[in-house]
């Protein structure tokens, strides 16, 4: 019985010795992508019905890792996004094209959510304006 107890104590001490190994903080340098937009709201202003609905959101990757846009979702089917699937390298400029269906009359405010590996997670952008009947 005494021998079993000694073996158990020795086993516990051995395991605690190996689990108390020092941890090296800062050993791995983490790099992140940062998406910095020129503007986060595009105002179409007052535009005529059936006019050109394309606009560009321009951004720069100010981080130190490649930026990869994984998806772009809009708040309705009347807004169609277009973006590059290729990674945007640090210091490079990227564009997100938005096409709004201008055949609908009246004021509008829509959101565009950009999902990427950028710091801070999803980025929500807005478009707004007012469509009047063409003369």
């Amino acid at each position: 019985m005494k021998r079993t107890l000694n073996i158990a104590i020795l086993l516990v001490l051995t395991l605690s010795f190996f689990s108390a190994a020092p941890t090296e903080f800062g050993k791995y340098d983490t790099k992140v992508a940062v998406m910095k937009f020129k503007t986060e709201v595009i105002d179409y202003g007052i535009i005529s019905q059936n006019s050109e609905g394309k606009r560009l959101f321009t951004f720069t990757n100010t981080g130190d890792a490649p930026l990869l846009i994984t998806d772009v979702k809009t708040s309705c089917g009347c807004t169609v996004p277009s973006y590059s699937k290729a990674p945007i390298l640090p210091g490079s400029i990227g564009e997100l094209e938005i096409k709004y269906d201008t055949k609908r009359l009246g004021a509008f405010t829509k959101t565009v959510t950009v999902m990427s590996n950028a710091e801070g997670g999803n980025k929500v952008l807005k478009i707004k304006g007012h469509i009047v009947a063409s003369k």
Side-chain angles (χ1 to χ4, degrees):
M1 180 72 178
K2 190 174 182 183
R3 185 176 189 169
T4 307
L5 183 61
N6 286 340
I7 291 174
I9 291 173
L10 184 61
L11 182 63
V12 168
L13 288 175
T14 304
L15 290 175
S16 65
F17 175 74
F18 285 112
S19 67
T23 305
E24 294 182 38
F25 291 106
K27 182 178 178 183
Y28 302 103
D29 197 19
T30 57
K31 295 183 177 185
V32 295
V34 178
M35 191 183 294
K36 177 73 176 163
F37 281 88
K38 198 176 234 183
T39 182
E40 294 182 13
V41 177
I42 291 181
D43 188 353
Y44 281 63
I46 298 174
I47 59 174
S48 297
Q49 186 178 22
N50 296 320
S51 62
E52 181 63 44
K54 289 183 184 178
R55 299 292 187 274
L56 283 177
F57 281 104
T58 307
F59 60 89
T60 305
N61 179 3
T62 60
D64 51 7
L67 172 70
L68 183 63
I69 297 175
T70 54
D71 199 9
V72 177
K73 299 216 184 259
T74 59
S75 57
C76 78
C78 58
T79 311
V80 179
S82 177
Y83 60 96
S84 173
K85 311 292 192 265
I88 293 100
L89 298 176
S92 297
I93 295 173
E95 294 179 337
L96 172 62
E97 183 181 87
I98 302 298
K99 183 171 192 263
Y100 182 73
D101 184 6
T102 60
K103 65 183 172 189
R104 303 158 192 249
L105 294 175
F108 65 91
T109 301
K110 304 295 176 190
T111 59
V112 178
T113 305
V114 181
M115 288 158 264
S116 68
N117 66 333
E119 181 179 58
N122 297 347
K123 187 70 168 174
V124 178
L125 309 170
K126 291 184 181 178
I127 61 170
K128 64 181 182 175
H130 191 88
I131 301 174
V132 295
S134 40
K135 297 177 183 179

